[in-house]
Structure formats: structure tokens, C-alpha cells
């Protein structure tokens, strides 16, 4: 019988880079105020050309890992996590355009002690203008997901989007269906128990899928608003908006198709795919490719 893996209490941070620019500097500068604990950082780089990861690797405790190709977010994050030995029982996966609030990581770790079955912990995420981003959401059921996808852009206050985003839920520590992958503290035992992110999701929905699989494996996704970060957002993807929209729609379809298998679902999935393709064409008119 194989002995279960035992994990230590050390802390690691993995950030996926793709020409992150100056945001990476703010990420690392503010990281030093986010925790009193020592932390090791791995930048899983998907092919940056701006030199930012190489400059950042000159810092103590920061290492550059070239993935050799663009693996997408989840695939690169998995590679980064795999770089750490079992002494690292806590791993943060975060975008390089996150600015850490003072003590934010320590707040997440405190919450982890209160939730022994917590597998993933997400902070309150603010937009650059100070607005709170709805980062702790319900899982997208077929009806809720389609309703949000079809009318979300034109009817902002529709009931499907409000339910999916949990817009009427008070800002308090609680469980959620899934948490934004832009900033997650992972219990290593939980992350490894589900084999991390599904690399088939090149970008988008990898966090939704992870939250769903963690829940099915008996772990909890815990929202911790006492920890705050700011997500600058959009730096690496703004140059390829049409491609990113296409990736978003492809991932949305994959998520639903994975969970609705069998011949009885084929007509429904065909209709969803057609609707997503129409929406993509409308949204990418005049966008860069």
C-alpha cells in the first residue's frame, strides 16, 4: 500500500508570466508586505519577450522556469507547482498583475487554520478603481450559465448573472462554488489530490473547473475578504483580445460539455456551441486578431 504524501508548512508562490511588463515589479514589491513568512517564488514563463521575468529573477528567492512553449495558464501553473518539494504545503497561484495588500497572505493562512477541509482560499479582489470584483461565485449550472452568457452583456442586472456572481451575497468569509484563479492560496494536499489544473483549458474556466473538482473531492473553496489584493488586469491579454475571447468561448463550451455527456445532451450542446459562435462573432467585430 502506497504511503500518503506528507506535506510540510513552507510557503511557495507560482505566477504565470507572458510578457508581464512593469506589473511584475509591483507584484514582487508588494509581496514582501503580504506575509511575515519566508516565501519562494517561481515564475512559470510561457514565452515572454519583454525581459521582465529575466530581470525579476535577479531577486533573492525568485526563480524563472521556462515552460518551453505557451502552455496556457493552468498548464504553466502546474509546472510551477511541480518545482517545489513536499516541504511546501502551501502554494499560492497568482497572476503577475496582482498587487498584494499588507498582510493579505497571512490572513489567508489564518483562514486556512479555521477551515481544515479548505482546499482553496481566495481573497477579496479589488479593481484598480477600488470596486470589489465578484471573485467567489456559484458553479455555472446549464441554465444559469447559458442565461448569463446569452444576456449578460446586454442586461447587466439579469437574475442569472446575479445568481452566478452571487451579487446579492454579503461580503463575508464563506464557502463558494469556485474562486477566481487570479489569486488563490492552495492547500498542497488538495491541489495534488485532483492533479491540479486541467491543462485542456488553455485560458479561462480553469479555475471554475478546479473549484468544481475540489468540491467533488470533498474540499471546500473558501472566500476570505479579510485578505485584500488589487488586480490591475489585462496587461498580457490586451494585445490579443480576439484570441482571448475565442479562448473564453471554447473553454465555456468545454466546461459544459465535460459535465453533460451522453447522446441525450448532444442537441443541447450543439445549440450552445452555435449560440457561443454567434456571440463570439458579434464580440470580435473590429477586434485585434
Amino acid at each position: 500500500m502506497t504511503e500518503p504524501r506528507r506535506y510540510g508548512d513552507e510557503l511557495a508562490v507560482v505566477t504565470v508570466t507572458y510578457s508581464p511588463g512593469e506589473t511584475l515589479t509591483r507584484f514582487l514589491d508588494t509581496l514582501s508586505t503580504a506575509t511575515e513568512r519566508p516565501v519562494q517564488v517561481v515564475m512559470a514563463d510561457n514565452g515572454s519577450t519583454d525581459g521582465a521575468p529575466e530581470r525579476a529573477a535577479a531577486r533573492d528567492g525568485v526563480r524563472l522556469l521556462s515552460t518551453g512553449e505557451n502552455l496556457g495558464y493552468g498548464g504553466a501553473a502546474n509546472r510551477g507547482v511541480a518545482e517545489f518539494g513536499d516541504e511546501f504545503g502551501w502554494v499560492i497561484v497568482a497572476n503577475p498583475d496582482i498587487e498584494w495588500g499588507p498582510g493579505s497572505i497571512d490572513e489567508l493562512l489564518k483562514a486556512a487554520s479555521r477551515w481544515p477541509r479548505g482546499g482553496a482560499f481566495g481573497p477579496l479582489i479589488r479593481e484598480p478603481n477600488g470596486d470589489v470584483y465578484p471573485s467567489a461565485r456559484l458553479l455555472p449550472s446549464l441554465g444559469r450559465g447559458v442565461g448569463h452568457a446569452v444576456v449578460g452583456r446586454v442586461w447587466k442586472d439579469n437574475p442569472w448573472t446575479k445568481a452566478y456572481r452571487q451579487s446579492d451575497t454579503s461580503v463575508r468569509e464563506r464557502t463558494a462554488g469556485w474562486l477566481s484563479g487570479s489569486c488563490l492560496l492552495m492547500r498542497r494536499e488538495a491541489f495534488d489530490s485532483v492533479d491540479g489544473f486541467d491543462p485542456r483549458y488553455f485560458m479561462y474556466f480553469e479555475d471554475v473547473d478546479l473549484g468544481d473538482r475540489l468540491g467533488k473531492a470533498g474540499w471546500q473553496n473558501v472566500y476570505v475578504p479579510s485578505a485584500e489584493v488589487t488586480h490591475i488586469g489585462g496587461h498580457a491579454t490586451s494585445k490579443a483580445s480576439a484570441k482571448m475571447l475565442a479562448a473564453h468561448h471554447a473553454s465555456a463550451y468545454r466546461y459544459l460539455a465535460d459535465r453533460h455527456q451522453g447522446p441525450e445532451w448532444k442537441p443541447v450542446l450543439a445549440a450552445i456551441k452555435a449560440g457561443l459562435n454567434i456571440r463570439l462573432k458579434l464580440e470580435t467585430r473590429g477586434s485585434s486578431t
Side-chain angles (χ1 to χ4, degrees):
M1 185 174 179
T2 304
E3 283 287 321
R5 295 179 69 174
R6 298 185 182 277
Y7 298 87
D9 199 44
E10 293 189 37
L11 174 67
V13 170
V14 173
T15 185
V16 178
T17 52
Y18 184 70
S19 296
E22 291 305 313
T23 60
L24 182 58
T25 300
R26 288 294 300 158
F27 177 94
L28 294 170
D29 286 348
T30 56
L31 179 62
S32 64
T33 70
T35 179
E36 295 181 353
R37 298 180 55 170
V39 58
Q40 294 292 312
V41 180
V42 161
M43 298 173 293
D45 188 68
N46 272 337
S48 295
T49 58
D50 65 351
E54 287 80 5
R55 291 191 294 273
R59 297 183 182 224
D60 290 339
V62 180
R63 185 154 51 96
L64 175 60
L65 169 68
S66 175
T67 64
E69 58 181 309
N70 192 346
L71 300 179
Y73 189 79
N78 288 346
R79 286 281 301 275
V81 174
E83 289 291 297
F84 294 100
D86 290 353
E87 66 272 24
F88 289 89
W90 302 100
V91 179
I92 289 172
V93 177
N95 286 8
D97 53 1
I98 288 289
E99 291 188 4
W100 304 92
S104 52
I105 293 176
D106 287 340
E107 283 295 318
L108 292 172
L109 289 167
K110 288 177 187 176
S113 68
R114 297 191 290 270
W115 298 82
R117 290 305 297 172
F121 301 85
L124 181 149
I125 299 175
R126 291 195 183 276
E127 306 274 14
N129 65 1
D131 289 348
V132 175
Y133 176 75
S135 60
R137 305 186 183 188
L138 295 177
L139 290 167
S141 65
L142 191 61
R144 192 162 49 232
V146 172
H148 167 67
V150 171
V151 303
R153 296 270 179 167
V154 295
W155 181 13
K156 300 294 186 184
D157 204 35
N158 74 81
W160 302 284
T161 295
K162 288 178 69 175
Y164 171 53
R165 292 189 168 193
Q166 297 197 285
S167 300
D168 292 335
T169 304
S170 61
V171 178
R172 58 181 174 79
E173 190 167 297
R174 58 180 172 84
T175 58
W178 66 279
L179 301 161
S180 171
S182 63
C183 186
L184 284 175
L185 170 69
M186 304 292 307
R187 195 183 298 270
R188 184 79 177 276
E189 179 186 358
F191 187 78
D192 286 357
S193 75
V194 296
D195 296 322
F197 290 104
D198 186 337
R200 296 177 305 149
Y201 293 85
F202 180 80
M203 184 170 284
Y204 303 113
F205 275 81
E206 72 284 328
D207 45 10
V208 188
D209 172 80
L210 178 68
D212 184 30
R213 289 186 292 111
L214 284 172
K216 288 175 178 174
W219 299 99
Q220 295 168 312
N221 298 284
V222 184
Y223 179 50
V224 187
S226 57
E228 287 197 22
V229 303
T230 299
H231 188 197
I232 303 305
H235 183 86
T237 59
S238 61
K239 298 186 287 293
S241 58
K243 291 179 180 178
M244 293 304 101
L245 284 168
H248 185 275
H249 284 68
S251 292
Y253 178 79
R254 181 182 293 281
Y255 179 87
L256 292 172
D258 279 352
R259 287 153 180 81
H260 298 88
Q261 299 182 11
E264 69 274 20
W265 288 108
K266 286 186 177 180
V268 176
L269 292 171
I272 291 172
K273 179 178 278 190
L276 287 170
N277 285 338
I278 291 170
R279 179 182 169 180
L280 178 60
K281 288 178 181 178
L282 292 173
E283 290 189 349
T284 54
R285 284 179 178 175
S287 297
S288 59
T289 57

